[in-house]
Amino acid sequence: MEENSQNWVDRLWRAFSSMKMGLALLGIVALVAGIGTLIPQTEQDPQKAQAVGQLWQTLGFTHLYSTVWFRLLLGLLCVNLIVCSIQRFGSIYRQTFKLTPPSNLAKVPKKNSRVVNGDIGTLQKSAQEFLTRKGYRVVLDEQSDQWSFIAAKRRLGYWGSFITHLSFVVLVLGALLGSILGFKGYMMEGAGTTTPIQQIELSKGKVSETFSVRINSAEDRFLSNGERDNWYTDMSILENGQEVARKTLSVNHPFEYKGVTFYQASFSNGAHFTVAMNGQKIPVVLREQGQNYFQAPGTDLYLIATSIMPSSSSQKAVALYQVYKGTGADPVQSGQLTLGQTVDVQSTYKLTLDSYAGFTGLQVKKDPGVAVIWLGCALLVGGLLLAFYWQPIVLSGILKSENNKQGTLTVGAFSGKSTSTTLEALEQFVSSVTK
């Protein structure tokens, strides 16, 4: 039983350490992600996503990046990269920190090698002086009949590909972390309103936070020349009814609280009204262009604000309104209100314009994987720089004695991707020793 279990472990290890599997998984992820860029995603365009064929919706291609099977693909790719990295770690560590001089000529690189004859003492001294002067880390092995060495510099270059592979693992973990623990949503609220964070309109994820958001004011400011300055929202964070944070945000100036970031996304004019009906006064807040409506209780009358103009130095705030009955396409009443003005609506209730109220549109996002993704990007850049611009240079050789004074020095260079640099270092070594 234990032997069978061990065989399965070995098979899985060999499978996930395979470069072919890694390339296959990478190709599948790239193909699926490519399809995802062509198919509208629910979180970006819900209407177009609903128009996609039912088969694609069932397979999850309209919400691709949050599907279990896509996360499983990323997880398998992550496991493959981790196994490959673990398998290579030992050899990279030995190449960097456990340099071993060659014990015989067969272990001196043959492809790029040179032979120098001369006085034993002079050759040995010249070789050591050159390697020390050029900044090589040198490991020596002295025996009665031979002297050998291995010298290396830019040893951190060995870690370039390892760090690059590791960066992809970190990037995948960051993406999964943000997808599983984060959320993205939207809220459009008027000045003076308080909204629990859990009631915002979500496009993905789930909100675990319990604080509330109060919109103190929302303004669409203009410069003296008539050009728009920016949209500004003065908002507070409330916990247990107490204000714990407050800030004025605007476009490109978000507000972050406990990992949740609020971005200024849109703005709409609105107004506070009072409806007097059956001896009661009902507060109503409407947005212009009919973005919301008020239905009088017990009736089929629907009130909307078609246009709202805030007060300025030359005029008071003005609201244009329309009243619809049932499913009728044409309004049964329309008109204009200024601040404090009251009108009768279909002999059913009295409508008064109390004050102007700006509505702010905020994108709300939490992504705990952002810091991890930035770390992955930094590792990727560092790994690529090491891999392509910090190639290790390794020289090794054996000096054998022919008699008490004369000897033969055989030296070779390990040639990696940067062959020209390695050959140049070998030639410099031979030239220095020969002199």
Side-chain angles (χ1 to χ4, degrees), residues 243-365:
E243 183 180 83
V244 293
R246 182 170 181 173
K247 183 178 179 179
T248 298
L249 63 151
S250 59
V251 177
N252 297 325
H253 295 85
F255 175 28
E256 183 178 351
Y257 178 75
K258 288 187 176 180
V260 180
T261 306
F262 298 85
Y263 300 90
Q264 183 73 60
S266 60
F267 180 88
S268 179
N269 291 316
H272 292 283
F273 298 86
T274 297
V275 171
M277 182 179 181
N278 300 327
Q280 295 183 337
K281 291 187 176 181
I282 305 172
V284 176
V285 183
L286 295 178
R287 281 186 282 161
E288 65 178 357
Q289 299 178 356
Q291 296 181 63
N292 64 340
Y293 65 87
F294 166 74
Q295 181 182 5
T299 74
D300 59 351
L301 295 177
Y302 298 89
L303 170 69
I304 67 169
T306 57
S307 179
I308 298 174
M309 290 159 282
S311 60
S312 64
S313 58
S314 60
Q315 66 175 24
K316 294 182 179 181
V318 176
L320 303 181
Y321 70 92
Q322 290 179 341
V323 180
Y324 291 83
K325 185 177 179 62
T327 58
D330 298 319
V332 296
Q333 182 178 336
S334 60
Q336 173 181 302
L337 286 172
T338 57
L339 283 178
Q341 184 179 359
T342 302
V343 296
D344 180 80
V345 177
Q346 298 294 295
S347 301
T348 303
Y349 60 83
K350 302 291 185 181
L351 179 67
T352 303
L353 175 61
D354 296 325
S355 63
Y356 169 81
F359 273 75
T360 183
L362 303 176
Q363 283 188 353
V364 188
K365 184 178 181 181

Side-chain angles (χ1 to χ4, degrees), residues 100-406:
T100 304
S103 57
N104 53 64
L105 290 175
K107 294 186 177 181
V108 177
K110 295 291 188 296
K111 185 176 180 181
N112 300 308
S113 62
R114 300 288 187 273
V115 177
V116 180
N117 296 310
D119 179 77
I120 292 178
T122 302
L123 288 175
Q124 184 174 338
K125 181 180 178 181
S126 300
Q128 287 187 254
E129 287 180 350
F130 172 84
L131 296 172
T132 303
R133 186 173 69 252
K134 292 295 183 179
Y136 286 85
R137 180 177 183 270
V138 184
V139 178
L140 304 175
D141 181 22
E142 296 190 49
Q143 299 180 18
S144 58
D145 59 338
Q146 69 177 30
W147 173 82
S148 62
F149 73 91
I150 185 168
K153 66 179 179 178
R154 300 182 182 177
R155 290 172 296 142
L156 290 180
Y158 285 121
W159 295 90
S161 61
F162 181 87
I163 294 174
T164 302
H165 282 83
L166 181 63
S167 70
F168 285 109
V169 175
V170 175
L171 288 171
V172 170
L173 291 177
L176 290 174
L177 188 64
S179 176
I180 296 172
L181 301 180
F183 68 85
K184 185 177 181 182
Y186 181 80
M187 59 185 294
M188 172 66 85
E189 299 295 337
T193 60
T194 299
T195 305
I197 188 69
Q198 294 187 342
Q199 292 183 9
I200 68 173
E201 181 182 344
L202 290 176
S203 58
K204 72 172 185 177
K206 183 179 180 181
V207 180
S208 59
E209 286 72 15
T210 57
F211 61 80
S212 297
V213 179
R214 183 176 68 204
I215 306 300
N216 302 309
S217 66
E219 298 179 70
D220 184 8
R221 296 182 190 172
F222 291 85
L223 301 173
S224 57
N225 59 7
E227 295 182 358
R228 174 172 278 113
D229 175 14
N230 209 330
W231 296 323
Y232 293 92
T233 300
D234 179 4
M235 61 173 286
S236 298
I237 302 296
L238 307 180
E239 296 211 37
N240 299 321
Q242 300 296 316
E243 183 180 83
V244 293
R246 182 170 181 173
K247 183 178 179 179
T248 298
L249 63 151
S250 59
V251 177
N252 297 325
H253 295 85
F255 175 28
E256 183 178 351
Y257 178 75
K258 288 187 176 180
V260 180
T261 306
F262 298 85
Y263 300 90
Q264 183 73 60
S266 60
F267 180 88
S268 179
N269 291 316
H272 292 283
F273 298 86
T274 297
V275 171
M277 182 179 181
N278 300 327
Q280 295 183 337
K281 291 187 176 181
I282 305 172
V284 176
V285 183
L286 295 178
R287 281 186 282 161
E288 65 178 357
Q289 299 178 356
Q291 296 181 63
N292 64 340
Y293 65 87
F294 166 74
Q295 181 182 5
T299 74
D300 59 351
L301 295 177
Y302 298 89
L303 170 69
I304 67 169
T306 57
S307 179
I308 298 174
M309 290 159 282
S311 60
S312 64
S313 58
S314 60
Q315 66 175 24
K316 294 182 179 181
V318 176
L320 303 181
Y321 70 92
Q322 290 179 341
V323 180
Y324 291 83
K325 185 177 179 62
T327 58
D330 298 319
V332 296
Q333 182 178 336
S334 60
Q336 173 181 302
L337 286 172
T338 57
L339 283 178
Q341 184 179 359
T342 302
V343 296
D344 180 80
V345 177
Q346 298 294 295
S347 301
T348 303
Y349 60 83
K350 302 291 185 181
L351 179 67
T352 303
L353 175 61
D354 296 325
S355 63
Y356 169 81
F359 273 75
T360 183
L362 303 176
Q363 283 188 353
V364 188
K365 184 178 181 181
K366 179 183 180 181
D367 191 348
V370 169
V372 180
I373 289 176
W374 277 112
L375 174 62
C377 292
L379 290 173
L380 178 60
V381 172
L384 291 175
L385 288 175
L386 286 175
F388 290 100
Y389 297 103
W390 202 250
Q391 288 291 322
I393 300 175
V394 181
L395 302 176
S396 68
I398 291 180
L399 176 60
K400 285 187 171 291
S401 173
E402 295 179 359
N403 52 50
N404 291 333
K405 292 186 177 182
Q406 297 297 308

Side-chain angles (χ1 to χ4, degrees), residues 11 21 28 32 57 88 93 128 182 194 203 226 259 304 320 334 369 390 430:
R11 290 177 184 176
M21 172 177 273
I28 294 172
V32 172
Q57 293 187 45
R88 295 190 59 199
Y93 181 84
Q128 287 187 254
T194 299
S203 58
I304 67 169
L320 303 181
S334 60
W390 202 250
V430 173

